[in-house]
């Protein structure tokens, strides 16, 4: 089944961007996400990424290696299986809600 995912930049400020990914990801989720994020992140140092509405296809997983090189920190809002997939990336900072992520956005430089 083909994916119907989309990634939208909802905020840009200084060296940071806030990206929302939603919908059903294509079967090759890792390459898709990597390409989309590389395109959307550009040279941003800090990326806020909302994956709460992004769905992996069936039992296929992104295998964790989809965050592009470049950004120093990824602030991510997501549940399982995303947390397990990205658990080993030291650049990831987890947020349980939009309010918490927004507070980090306001203090990030």
């Amino acid at each position: 089944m083909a994916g119907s995912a989309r990634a939208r930049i909802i905020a840009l400020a200084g060296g940071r961007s806030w990206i929302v990914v939603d919908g059903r990801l294509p079967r090759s989720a890792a390459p898709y996400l990597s390409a989309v994020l590389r395109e959307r992140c550009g040279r941003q140092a800090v990326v806020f990424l909302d994956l709460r509405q992004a769905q992996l296809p069936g039992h296929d997983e992104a295998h964790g290696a989809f965050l592009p090189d470049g950004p120093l920190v990824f602030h991510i809002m997501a549940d399982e299986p995303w947390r397990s997939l990205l658990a080993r990336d030291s650049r990831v900072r987890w947020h349980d809600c939009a309010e918490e992520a927004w507070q980090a956005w306001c203090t990030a430089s």
Side-chain angles (χ1 to χ4, degrees):
M1 175 183 255
S4 59
R6 64 183 176 166
R8 297 171 288 136
I9 297 174
I10 61 169
L12 288 171
R16 60 195 193 274
S17 60
W18 191 306
I19 301 169
V20 175
V21 179
D22 61 14
R24 186 169 193 74
L25 294 167
R27 202 159 263 307
S28 53
Y32 170 81
L33 280 172
S34 184
V36 165
L37 292 175
R38 232 184 351 269
E39 176 185 318
R40 301 287 196 281
C41 293
R43 295 178 181 224
Q44 301 298 322
V46 180
V47 174
F48 286 75
L49 184 58
D50 185 346
L51 295 170
R52 294 175 297 171
Q53 300 300 317
Q55 305 161 12
L56 289 170
H59 296 291
D60 190 27
E61 295 185 354
H63 300 296
F66 66 83
L67 296 179
D69 293 336
L72 303 175
V73 179
F74 285 90
H75 290 266
I76 299 179
M77 290 183 292
D79 296 318
E80 289 298 338
W82 299 107
R83 287 186 179 243
S84 295
L85 294 171
L86 298 170
R88 293 186 181 162
D89 194 320
S90 63
R91 300 173 297 162
V92 172
R93 308 294 180 268
W94 293 106
H95 299 286
D96 293 324
C97 64
E99 180 181 5
E100 185 180 303
W102 181 251
Q103 289 174 354
W105 171 272
C106 292
T107 60
S109 53

